[in-house]
């Protein structure tokens, strides 16, 4: 799968891709999980289907240790048969009306995963559009957060993460992400991005 849109951030890249996240080779794939770490539909279902039962077996062990994963946080497992070394299972917020800390919690999903990536020497990481399916987060708002937070991370950290891939499943979502990424790229080009 080729990268559809690239924002160059110093020596690093923010890439936007449209497609199935389980088919993209990276060091770490981020999952949009639930706090029970119990599996589900959407991207969570795809990750467990393609990755195989090993991932759920590892989550059982994590659950017996910590019970559950807090919203805005993430836990790490291996990636089973997925083309990756790790899966970071992030728990996004369930969207209510935008006035219940949803933006800060969603942002925390991205930064937690990027911190985990740094700890695990991950060079390439892919994110789905966390919370924008079953959890009902409006894509326009979620895309603005995802693009801004990941680009800022690349700008402020020299390594080890070199490439962040934001993966959208539909044409519509891809177009929305692209709009935000385009604005960011124009800002970098003219030096107006603060
Ligand atoms: N690759 C990339 N993106 C995907 C894929 C896939 N294979 N399958 C679905 N998506 C997209 C959806 O289109 C949506 O844009 O992932 C985004 C997130 O949607 P959900 O998977 O529904 O995740 P979320 O809204 O965070 O809800 C999490 O759903 O499946 C359950 O266990 C999960 O309870 C948790 C909840």
């Amino acid at each position: 799968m080729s990268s559809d849109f690239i924002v160059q951030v110093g020596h690093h890249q923010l890439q936007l891709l449209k497609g199935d996240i389980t088919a993209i080779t990276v060091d770490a794939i981020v999952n949009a999980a639930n706090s029970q770490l119990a599996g589900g539909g959407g991207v969570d279902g795809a990750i467990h289907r393609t990755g195989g039962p090993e991932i759920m077996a590892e989550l059982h062990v994590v659950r017996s240790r910590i019970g559950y994963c807090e919203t805005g946080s993430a836990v790490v497992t291996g990636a089973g048969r997925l083309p990756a070394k790790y899966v970071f299972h992030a728990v996004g917020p369930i969207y209510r009306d935008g006035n219940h800390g949803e933006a800060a919690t969603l942002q925390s999903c991205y930064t937690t995963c990027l911190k985990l990536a740094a700890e695990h020497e991950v060079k390439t990481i892919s994110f789905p559009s966390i919370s924008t399916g079953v959890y009902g987060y409006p894509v326009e708002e979620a895309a603005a957060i995802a693009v801004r937070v990941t680009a800022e991370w690349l700008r402020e950290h020299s390594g080890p993460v070199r490439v962040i891939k934001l993966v959208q499943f539909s044409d519509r979502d891809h177009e929305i992400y692209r709009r935000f990424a385009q604005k960011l790229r124009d800002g970098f080009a003219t030096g107006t991005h603060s």
Side-chain angles (χ1 to χ4, degrees), residues 19-22 32-34 39-46 92 128-136 167-170 173:
D20 178 359
I21 202 167
T22 66
N34 51 61
V43 71
D44 200 2
S129 183
I130 299 170
S131 280
T132 63
V134 173
Y135 281 179
V167 183
Q168 298 83 49
F169 206 44
S170 70
D173 290 356

